[in-house]
Amino acid sequence: MENLLMLPLVLPVLAAIVSLFAKNSLNFRKASGVFFTLMQLVVAVVILVKVYRDGILVLHVGSWPAPFGIMLVADMFSAIMLFFAGLIGFTVSVYALGLMDERRLKFHFYLLFNILLLGVNGAFITGDVFNLYVWFEVMLIASFVLITLGGERKQLEGAVKYVTINMVSSMLFLAAAGLLYGKMGTLNMADLAMKLQNDPSSNLVASSAMLFFIAFGIKAAVFPFFFWLPASYHTPPVAVTALFAGLLTKVGVYAMIRFFTLFFIPLGGIWKELFLITGGLTMLIGVFTAASQYDIRRILSFHIISQIGYMIMGLGFFTPLGIAGAIYYMGHNIVAKTNTFMVGGMVSKLKGTFELKSIGGLYKTKPYLALLFIIPAFALAGVPPLSGFFGKFILVKAGFDSHHFFVTGISLFVGLITLFSMIKIWNEGFWKKQPEEVEEVVNYTEKKVGFALIFPSVVLGLFSIGMGVAVGFFFDFCMTAAQQLLEPSAYINAVLGK
Amino acid sequence: MEIILAIVIGVLYAAGVYLLLRRSIVKLILGLIFFSHATNLLVFLAGSLSKVSPPFVQEGQKVAQSTVADPLPQALVLTSLVIGFGITAFALVLIYRFYQSSGTVDFDQLKED
């Protein structure tokens, strides 16, 4: 049954191979792209249920014993993240059918898309620090090509920044892993956790921990390291941006939560303060810069940053409720963020631009689109009964319980500004009249939004509502995950087999 | 030997950072190459250098007779070299296309539009 864990890795590879060999039939490639991502979603659900019922799943690849061989581990946290990766993979692959132009599809969009999912899935279920690096690279190389796919000048400019900063962060990650190996003699996460627990000189690994923090911080776009994200995320087509916005930054947050709950705990108090400070600053700076923008994609890109702050803050509380809140918030954010980008893509398909000043009157002509936008936007802002409200509620409760009033206050304030900038998009894009002089300039004829665009947005919108209405159901999963994270002995025992 | 390698790593990092901060995009790529090689050497050195025999076990025995070198850092470096090489190749193609479409390799020239 443990072999089930191979499937999230095998399916994307299969999809990539099929897509590579079916080069003459674009329709077949499209169909297989959607089919395989749907299969991944199904497999992820099966893994989630199985882990929830039976506890941590471990697969020793090639039957090599624990600290030596490569292993795949799925605890609750990994399983939840796998599920969201599957959900986003499926919806975005449907969405791409309607939005991606023929040329990009022919240049193997679905192949790269599946390789990216392979990297993301691998990063979520690996049990080894160096393998995590490799999966990060798999994911990054696919994302490099996706961000340049099409080769427009703007894309190339964005890609140069994106490639450079991600390469630097990978190098820091690798250096950190190397130093950690030099000090501890192992890179297996469970083995590291066990050794560091009993090691009085574990302060020596603080340098590695800091390098890991910077490397993951760059990938997750937290406060001092976020500038590359708004500089590059708005350049590729929206389907790509939606995928990146939903998944890529969250992989950095995932790695951070995993590392700093599993084996960097003995490092003591200063880390929690560091997380709280970076979390607070990330929220504030992200939301303020978002509020000053007028391009839909730029507003949403800056919002990615501010939302990451909430998760880092939840990690900084370091209570079960705080971590559970961070995980719930991550799930909510993956869904809502991707969805806002999808609606943004539909708006631009109708109006031919992302610039809010030349858009308007969408509520009158396309009322359903306004509804599709309002769900994820209000979810992000935290309006009950949508998912964001409960995400924030759990985090705020955790903050008050652990007496971190200041940073919790900041998070509430940031929620208000988020609401402000979402209402700004609403006002400018949907509510006000179409500016007349602009309409002549734009002269855009494409007035249809196909089913392939609406369907994924509806699915994600319903999911946002579902996460809010059935909050107890989802929170149960997150709480189990948080308890597993804060009690690493179960993880260690499952992996090392003691 | 270790001290020499340590100095080499330091010099490579310094050169890498210096080149990364230049305006020219060609130097940026060179900087990334220096950076990645410095990191590879760092991983290699972190596994500690020692004059012992290679990690082979003699025929008919279960464990090696003498102390053996740790093969893992080499394996790690091998993997990261391959990855780094691939990304560098991609980056080179990227700057070439970038140069073709923008006509410049200077970052400061880009702000105009």
Side-chain angles (χ1 to χ4, degrees), chain A residues 70 77 82 98 125 136 171 176 219 273 305 332 369 371 384 401:
Chain A
I70 288 170
F77 187 30
L82 264 185
I125 58 175
F136 261 83
M171 295 309 155
K219 310 242 192 229
E273 263 84 73
I305 299 162
H332 137 74
L369 196 60
L371 182 68
D401 284 354

Side-chain angles (χ1 to χ4, degrees), chain B residues 24 51 58:
Chain B
S24 157
K51 276 193 178 169
Q58 251 63 44

Side-chain angles (χ1 to χ4, degrees), chain A residues 121-134:
Chain A
N121 286 347
F124 287 152
I125 58 175
T126 183
D128 182 287
V129 177
F130 191 77
N131 277 354
L132 185 66
Y133 163 78
V134 176

Side-chain angles (χ1 to χ4, degrees), chain A residues 1-15 36-47 50 57 59 61 72 74 82 86 114 117-119 121-122 125 135:
Chain A
M1 206 54 204
E2 279 74 29
N3 289 338
L4 192 65
L5 276 183
M6 265 339 262
L7 280 179
L9 307 180
V10 170
L11 283 174
V13 174
L14 260 182
F36 277 107
T37 45
L38 182 62
M39 288 311 291
Q40 275 182 63
L41 178 59
V42 172
V43 166
V45 171
V46 173
I47 290 178
K50 184 138 184 62
L57 275 181
L59 171 65
V61 179
L72 304 173
L82 264 185
N114 276 298
L117 284 177
L118 166 73
N121 286 347
I125 58 175
W135 289 122

Side-chain angles (χ1 to χ4, degrees), chain A residues 130 133-134 137 141 144-145 148 151 153 156-157 159-160 163-164 167-168 171-172 174-175 178-179 181-182 187, chain B residues 13 25 28 32 35-36 39-40 42-43 46 70 72-73 76 79-80 83 87 90 94 97-98 101-102 107 110 113:
Chain A
F130 191 77
Y133 163 78
V134 176
E137 292 299 319
I141 294 172
F144 289 164
V145 187
T148 48
R153 188 181 157 190
L156 293 173
E157 262 183 61
V160 169
V163 170
T164 311
M167 246 182 115
V168 170
M171 295 309 155
L172 294 177
L174 183 62
L179 291 174
Y181 180 76
L187 283 176
Chain B
Y13 265 122
I25 190 169
L28 179 98
L32 285 177
F35 217 83
S36 93
T39 311
N40 289 334
L42 180 73
V43 175
D70 185 356
L72 196 71
L76 301 188
T79 314
S80 66
I83 292 172
I87 297 188
F90 176 80
L94 178 67
R97 288 284 289 121
F98 177 78
S101 73
S102 68
F107 270 124
L110 291 175
D113 45 42

Side-chain angles (χ1 to χ4, degrees), chain A residues 356-373:
Chain A
L356 278 177
K357 280 177 178 155
S358 38
I359 305 176
L362 273 172
Y363 177 71
K364 218 171 180 182
T365 51
K366 297 271 186 289
Y368 63 88
L369 196 60
L371 182 68
L372 284 182
F373 175 74

Side-chain angles (χ1 to χ4, degrees), chain A residues 404-425:
Chain A
H404 293 105
F405 297 109
F406 186 65
V407 72
T408 315
I410 288 179
S411 78
L412 286 171
F413 173 69
V414 168
L416 269 183
I417 315 259
T418 312
L419 186 59
F420 162 75
S421 47
M422 287 304 152
I423 286 180
K424 180 165 140 186
I425 300 184

